[in-house]
Amino acid sequence: MNDTPGAFTTRILNVASGSAETVVDLTHECESFLREAARGRDGLLNVFVPHATAGVAVLETGAGSDSDLLAALHTLLPADDRWQHRHGSPGHGRDHVLPALIAPHATLPVIGGALELGTWQSVCLVDTNKDNPDRQVRLSFLG
């Protein structure tokens, strides 16, 4: 990390998303990064997933919304043989369409060094690709 105040600071998280479709809550990791990088300053946190088959979402977790999101994605993007992109698991082409619906990035406000989320909001990795169990997430603070 660059320790210069006002500088761009970044960190790579390695996330084991497993071999099943999942929503992984990254909020704690984002907050931990900001404690070191922001040090009480205002700025922006960018969360970026450098993968063609994953996205970043801000949503409620733990009350069923994460499961509801995966169910909605099954309705919108069925894992069947309709997709032109056909390597990998059956229906894998849907995973390559996912980032058009759930962007691979989110930029969030940081106020006084803390992530400014709503009461029930969490920062999450959304990964429907069962063929790639290891992901990277880049956290970047500018403040």
Side-chain angles (χ1 to χ4, degrees):
M1 284 194 311
N2 183 336
D3 291 333
T4 305
F8 179 80
T9 306
T10 191
R11 175 181 295 160
I12 300 288
L13 300 177
N14 292 305
V15 178
S17 57
S19 59
E21 297 176 2
T22 190
V23 175
V24 179
D25 190 338
L26 302 173
T27 308
H28 177 72
E29 288 84 353
C30 291
E31 292 169 337
S32 176
F33 168 68
L34 289 172
R35 277 192 294 279
E36 294 176 36
R39 294 194 204 132
R41 294 176 297 170
D42 295 350
L44 295 171
L45 173 68
N46 182 265
V47 182
F48 176 70
V49 181
H51 298 283
T53 59
V56 176
V58 177
L59 73 153
E60 179 180 5
T61 59
S65 296
D66 36 356
S67 297
D68 290 342
L69 174 60
L70 293 174
L73 290 172
H74 273 279
T75 300
L76 292 170
L77 304 171
D80 57 23
D81 64 358
R82 73 183 69 202
W83 308 102
Q84 297 295 315
H85 189 104
R86 293 184 185 264
H87 75 82
S89 297
H92 175 65
R94 74 187 279 264
D95 301 327
H96 287 272
V97 176
L98 174 77
L101 300 176
I102 300 176
H105 60 88
T107 301
L108 305 163
V110 176
I111 307 298
L115 194 54
E116 189 73 10
L117 292 173
T119 302
W120 304 111
Q121 290 180 316
S122 296
V123 181
C124 300
L125 167 70
V126 179
D127 189 357
T128 59
N129 184 354
K130 297 182 267 189
D131 296 335
N132 189 351
D134 299 306
R135 298 299 188 157
Q136 289 188 334
V137 178
R138 178 178 291 278
L139 304 179
S140 301
F141 175 73
L142 179 61

